[in-house]
Amino acid sequence: MFRKILIANRGEIAVRILRACRELDIAAVAVFSEADRAALHVRLAGEAYPIGPASSRESYLRIDKLMDVAQRSRCDALHPGYGFLAENPALPRACIAAGITFIGPTADAMEALGSKTAARQLAKRCDVPTVPGAFDPIERLEDARQLAREIGYPVLVKAVAGGGGKGMRLVAREADLPASWRDAGSEALNAFGDSRLYLEKYLERPRHIEIQILADTHGRIVSLGERECSVQRRHQKVFEEAPSPAVTQELRRAMGEAAVRLARAGGYTNAGTVEFLVDDARDFYFLEVNARLQVEHPVTELVTGLDLVKLQIAIAAGHRLPFAWESIAPRGHAIECRLYAEDPENNFFPSPGKILTRRTPSGPGIRLEDGVYAGWTVPADYDPLLGKLIAWGNSREEAIARLRRALEEYGVSGIKTNASLFRSILADPEFVLGKIHTRWLDERLQSSAGAIPQDGDLSGASGAAALAAALWHVQHNGASSLENPSGAEESASRWKLHGRSEQLNRTPRRSRE
Ligand code: MV4
């Protein structure tokens, strides 16, 4: 086993990996940019070293600096987390050159799957269904036009180096193809340094369902089942759950077998995710492979009882997976929501800043994975993910009820968060019935623009009391006496409304009542 692991990441995922190291009695080394000097992952690590200025280009993306820290602190392994360099084959290559074990797939496997068209070819070769479309990059617009005519509109123009919706354009008719082709190409060049494009038939309202796999270095590959990730906002996942309300045992087996075949053909090792689109007929189509641990891994952990980070470390150390995939069936149900420092009332604009107070939920079936603390300033330099709140229940209904309850207990002041969005989604009858698809949330937000039922809505009876309480406070103590001096508090939960009415009851009788 390893003696010391470098954690080449920040935020909640760095904290998650630190915890696994601690449980395994492996020393951990954190790295930090100037903006993260006081970050939680730095405080929890036994050792931490600076790697440069706030800009991730000059810190978390600098392979040379990471290798320098790893060698000087005598690490024997490196965990990349997700994002940053996690899927960049140059990182495992640099690790090999430095004699450090990379906790993840090989550079070759990353390369084989990093090109979307190469991955589609691989899928075709091992009988994994793909969406109709190109299997090679398309160089000329004329060829794109030809193929689009054959498969029929609408088509989706995608970047060969893509992923996550960047460099992607939906094209409804031939007249729109030239402009979309140009735009997608320049966006892809900008985002990936690679302007190559291809296209696929556009599926209208599929579900986005992904299979978690684990592969050891001795040839055993197992599927840990699916995660349903259809609730997204502009290609950003908002909710993830396991199992999927749409997946039957037969479909789970078929998708799991397809994912394992693909991983085997790609020479894949360690933890990975195979993404699929699933249509109403429950036909599934391969989309892409994510060659890393994913943000939403905890929902799989909660329904399988496995610790994916510890398993990643064990696999990298050459251990054999101690189970067969036939033995893994999901138990109960888990739902995760991603807590962002964002303003839901201002188009989800990032809302970095100092966290004044933070109340964390707990109780049955609740897990909070976050990387922040009260008094810390969320930097504006990175993705504003604060962390994740995950609920487990015996049934989907119980998991939803627990997540709803935990969101009432959760509260942060000083910055805005997107927590009100989750409260409203969890109350949506369509979501509760599991009738969701990849465009569900965007369509819902569009149709109710500005009318998202906010928790803490000031129209109801308790809302009126809360408003009265707030006004009373302002009149008697000035605006600065409010919990929320800058008006930057998230929408009040019922918990907070209750707290305010208590405050109101404690005040001297003479001025009211
Ligand atoms: C698609 C698709 C429909 N048809 N491809 C989104 C990001 C990347 N992983 C691939 N994605 C999709 N590819 C075909 N042929 C739907 C998505 C998709 C999506 C599209 C629009 C709005 C939200 C979406 C969420 C997930 C997936």
Side-chain angles (χ1 to χ4, degrees):
M1 193 32 91
F2 305 117
R3 281 185 15 261
K4 205 190 239 192
I5 294 176
L6 184 93
I7 300 169
N9 215 302
R10 64 178 301 281
E12 65 89 19
I13 196 63
V15 171
R16 170 73 187 86
I17 300 161
L18 268 163
R19 286 174 169 153
C21 291
R22 183 66 51 90
E23 289 176 28
L24 291 169
D25 203 22
I26 298 171
V29 175
V31 291
F32 60 95
S33 71
E34 273 166 28
D36 276 339
R37 189 164 286 278
L40 187 65
H41 77 280
V42 176
R43 299 211 160 171
L44 292 178
E47 267 177 81
Y49 299 97
I51 51 165
S55 158
S56 49
R57 296 197 148 278
E58 295 176 74
S59 52
Y60 297 106
L61 290 171
R62 283 285 295 268
I63 294 177
D64 56 339
K65 289 183 180 172
L66 294 170
M67 290 301 120
D68 183 50
V69 170
Q71 287 186 308
R72 288 208 277 165
S73 60
R74 299 166 54 83
C75 288
D76 45 9
L78 178 150
H79 197 304
Y82 55 68
F84 296 123
L85 294 164
E87 291 177 274
N88 186 333
L91 185 59
R93 293 219 162 92
C95 284
I96 288 175
I100 292 163
T101 304
F102 178 78
I103 302 170
T106 63
D108 287 348
M110 277 184 194
E111 263 162 11
L113 300 164
S115 154
K116 305 302 150 204
T117 43
R120 277 169 59 81
Q121 284 181 27
L122 196 67
K124 190 156 86 171
R125 277 207 299 281
C126 50
D127 283 320
V128 172
T130 51
V131 188
F135 288 89
D136 286 298
I138 301 173
E139 274 168 30
R140 300 173 330 154
L141 174 60
E142 200 39 57
D143 296 333
R145 201 192 316 263
Q146 183 60 35
L147 180 64
R149 260 185 212 176
E150 284 167 26
I151 64 177
Y153 287 86
V155 298
L156 204 51
V157 171
K158 294 187 175 187
V160 171
K166 279 220 185 82
M168 207 164 87
R169 285 291 181 287
L170 173 58
V171 186
R173 53 183 175 276
E174 191 170 297
D176 298 337
L177 187 63
S180 296
W181 191 260
R182 255 198 326 274
D183 291 352
S186 54
E187 195 175 303
L189 182 65
N190 207 19
F192 313 112
D194 180 348
S195 65
R196 289 177 304 158
L197 303 172
Y198 72 107
L199 61 81
E200 287 176 8
K201 174 85 187 160
Y202 177 65
L203 304 187
E204 292 284 344
R205 282 177 179 78
R207 287 170 181 265
H208 178 131
I209 299 178
E210 56 191 32
I211 298 284
Q212 175 71 54
I213 57 149
L214 283 178
D216 69 18
T217 53
H218 306 275
R220 174 171 266 177
I221 308 181
V222 300
S223 161
L224 303 187
E226 81 282 1
R227 291 185 289 259
E228 160 94 54
C229 306
S230 296
V231 182
Q232 309 199 358
R233 196 190 147 267
R234 301 190 177 169
H235 302 298
Q236 180 137 287
K237 291 168 187 164
V238 165
F239 271 104
E240 301 102 352
E241 59 181 299
S244 163
V247 172
T248 60
Q249 187 52 42
E250 302 90 89
L251 183 57
R252 179 170 304 121
R253 171 176 282 269
M255 291 177 75
E257 283 174 354
V260 168
R261 281 202 303 279
L262 190 68
R264 196 174 298 288
Y268 199 86
T269 50
N270 216 284
T273 297
V274 184
E275 293 187 353
F276 295 96
L277 297 175
V278 179
D279 65 18
D280 285 338
R282 294 214 170 92
D283 286 323
F284 63 89
Y285 306 91
F286 166 70
L287 210 49
E288 58 191 67
V289 176
N290 299 133
R292 59 167 191 274
L293 181 72
Q294 285 190 279
V295 176
E296 59 270 30
H297 74 277
V299 296
T300 299
E301 294 189 320
L302 291 180
V303 297
T304 61
L306 299 170
D307 183 320
L308 291 183
V309 180
K310 286 202 242 175
L311 285 163
Q312 283 193 293
I313 295 170
I315 288 170
H319 294 207
R320 287 172 189 275
L321 283 170
F323 43 78
W325 84 279
E326 292 83 354
S327 65
I328 296 164
R331 180 177 167 267
H333 202 99
I335 305 190
E336 170 181 283
C337 61
R338 297 188 184 191
L339 299 163
Y340 279 93
E342 285 178 346
D343 182 358
E345 278 158 283
N346 187 17
N347 207 18
F348 298 91
F349 204 74
S351 172
K354 185 167 180 177
I355 297 174
L356 297 179
T357 63
R358 169 173 166 272
R359 184 170 44 229
T360 58
S362 57
I366 293 304
R367 172 170 166 187
L368 178 66
E369 291 280 344
D370 70 359
V372 303
Y373 59 88
W376 185 59
T377 299
V378 180
D381 308 273
Y382 315 104
D383 183 85
L385 180 71
L386 298 169
K388 294 118 50 173
L389 182 58
I390 313 110
W392 181 89
N394 275 298
S395 62
R396 187 168 186 268
E397 292 67 33
E398 188 176 50
I400 288 174
R402 282 180 168 166
L403 189 55
R404 220 182 257 154
R405 185 267 296 167
L407 282 163
E408 283 171 19
E409 294 179 20
Y410 177 80
V412 163
S413 71
I415 56 170
K416 303 205 179 184
T417 79
N418 61 344
S420 61
L421 175 69
F422 307 133
R423 296 186 184 112
S424 104
I425 293 173
L426 289 172
D428 188 300
E430 282 181 333
F431 179 83
V432 172
L433 290 171
K435 290 183 173 173
I436 44 178
H437 53 78
T438 47
R439 282 170 56 192
W440 181 79
L441 183 56
D442 285 323
E443 287 174 356
R444 185 180 179 278
L445 289 173
Q446 241 164 34
S447 68
S448 68
I452 311 163
Q454 302 281 324
D455 200 352
D457 185 350
L458 296 177
S459 59
S462 65
L467 184 58
L471 283 173
W472 187 90
H473 262 269
V474 174
Q475 282 160 5
H476 289 257
N477 306 302
S480 64
S481 73
L482 281 176
E483 219 182 303
N484 171 18
S486 62
E489 183 200 355
E490 65 175 289
S491 309
S493 66
R494 255 175 288 151
W495 178 292
K496 284 183 184 163
L497 297 181
H498 178 69
R500 281 192 193 145
S501 65
E502 271 183 355
Q503 275 185 320
L504 194 62
N505 291 339
R506 277 204 309 272
T507 57
R509 304 255 147 182
R510 58 185 163 75
S511 55
R512 290 179 109 245
E513 294 173 331

